[in-house]
Amino acid sequence: MSKLEDYEAELRDLQLALIGLQKQAIKDGWKTVTLFEGRDAAGKDGAIARLTEHAHRRATRVMSLPTPSDRERSEWYFQRYVRHLPAAGEAVVFNRSWYNRAGVERVMGFSTPQEQEQFLRDVPAFELMLVDNGIKLTKFWLDIDQDTQAERLKARRDEPLKAFKVSDLDAVAQAKWDDYSAARDEMLIRTHSTPAPWVCVRADHKKAARLNILRWLLHVSAPKKLLKGIPQPDPEVIFRFEPAALTDGRLAR
């Protein structure tokens, strides 16, 4: 088979296993939250699309929240995210999440340094509460190098069918690359925890990233009967965060 055929064959196997996993999750009343964060153009939308393509529609929600309203800005920061958390048997995928405060808000000055510091102090306790109350939480950070980001942002601008993927923030993603790197580094170090670890994905190759994200989710949660024939996640592509990854080349500088 060609590489494309290999990819499509494995993707089908993974998605079939995910259907089996979700059947169990619905039956047993799991509450599942999966966060996708990462560089601009890192492939979050594509990964989420493959994860949810054949998911149970009424039991699965993908949340990509708009800019907060004036009322929401006056609320407790986590409040507008809490209202979207799952009940028993439901799965919620956040395409960007409460971590906006540690990333784009910090780089673009959309919140104050005091608000950003309070977020970094509060979020480990917030996530511990979620996990202690039965939510299965997975946090993915998708990372790409600067050249790959430049190529993908240009491809967006040049392709009319991707018009809705282009945003004003794309224009500063490259110019503020180092600022985003610094924000990422502090976020990962201060919000990685045993109950809510970060899972880093090297996403320069989209197909490999997608397959390994699905492999990871299955191997973390699925019973052995569903894992037959499912490859282990490739540690060259996906790995649990550790501080050494910031300096040993696993995460882009």
Side-chain angles (χ1 to χ4, degrees):
M1 289 193 295
S2 68
K3 287 185 178 181
L4 177 59
E5 289 171 328
D6 288 342
Y7 165 75
E8 291 178 343
E10 182 178 347
L11 179 61
R12 177 180 171 81
D13 288 343
L14 293 168
Q15 289 176 330
L16 283 169
L18 285 168
I19 289 172
L21 179 61
Q22 189 169 31
K23 286 180 178 178
Q24 177 176 324
I26 293 170
K27 178 177 178 290
D28 294 345
W30 294 3
K31 294 176 283 187
T32 305
V33 172
T34 308
L35 310 185
F36 283 82
E37 294 286 344
R39 299 272 193 181
D40 288 331
K44 295 180 291 295
D45 291 345
I48 291 169
R50 274 64 181 185
L51 172 61
T52 60
E53 186 175 7
H54 302 292
H56 191 293
R57 290 304 173 207
R58 289 191 299 277
T60 308
R61 300 196 305 278
V62 178
M63 305 306 306
S64 183
L65 301 188
T67 302
S69 66
D70 289 342
R71 183 182 189 281
E72 287 172 327
R73 288 190 184 94
S74 74
E75 296 173 347
W76 175 50
Y77 176 70
F78 295 101
Q79 191 165 330
R80 73 185 193 124
Y81 296 99
V82 167
R83 63 176 61 105
H84 297 291
L85 293 175
E90 295 179 345
V92 175
V93 179
F94 283 99
N95 185 351
R96 296 200 182 276
S97 66
W98 45 84
Y99 282 101
N100 278 338
R101 177 137 294 179
V104 65
E105 287 192 19
R106 167 176 164 167
V107 173
M108 300 302 297
F110 295 157
S111 55
T112 68
Q114 292 77 15
E115 288 171 330
Q116 296 152 24
E117 176 61 26
Q118 182 172 6
F119 169 80
L120 291 170
R121 289 199 311 266
D122 289 352
V123 71
F126 170 69
E127 291 174 350
L128 177 60
M129 284 192 294
L130 298 183
V131 174
D132 279 351
N133 283 277
I135 286 178
K136 295 180 179 293
L137 175 64
T138 305
K139 305 187 302 189
F140 288 114
W141 172 265
L142 276 62
D143 209 67
I144 54 176
D145 65 36
Q146 191 169 9
D147 290 342
T148 299
Q149 185 187 68
E151 291 169 5
R152 291 183 184 176
L153 292 175
K154 182 179 185 304
R156 281 183 184 178
R157 295 192 298 271
D158 293 346
E159 173 52 75
L161 291 175
K162 295 184 178 181
F164 289 125
K165 294 177 72 71
V166 177
S167 77
D168 293 339
L169 296 178
D170 291 349
V172 298
Q174 289 274 290
K176 293 184 177 290
W177 176 270
D178 290 340
D179 294 334
Y180 274 111
S181 295
R184 173 204 63 189
D185 293 357
E186 183 172 10
M187 180 194 77
L188 291 175
I189 288 171
R190 294 185 61 181
T191 65
H192 175 76
S193 66
T194 299
W198 278 104
V199 179
C200 299
V201 186
R202 299 183 65 162
D204 291 313
H205 301 287
K206 288 183 179 180
K207 290 183 172 63
R210 293 167 184 168
L211 295 178
N212 277 280
I213 287 168
L214 303 191
R215 290 178 188 176
W216 185 281
L217 290 169
L218 286 164
H219 277 279
V220 165
S221 299
K224 289 184 178 179
K225 64 182 181 180
L226 288 178
L227 294 177
K228 185 177 180 180
I230 302 298
Q232 289 284 339
D234 182 352
E236 295 294 315
V237 177
I238 191 167
F239 55 92
R240 192 180 175 107
F241 172 72
E242 55 184 354
L246 300 176
T247 55
D248 65 11
R250 281 180 286 171
L251 293 173
R253 305 309 308 168

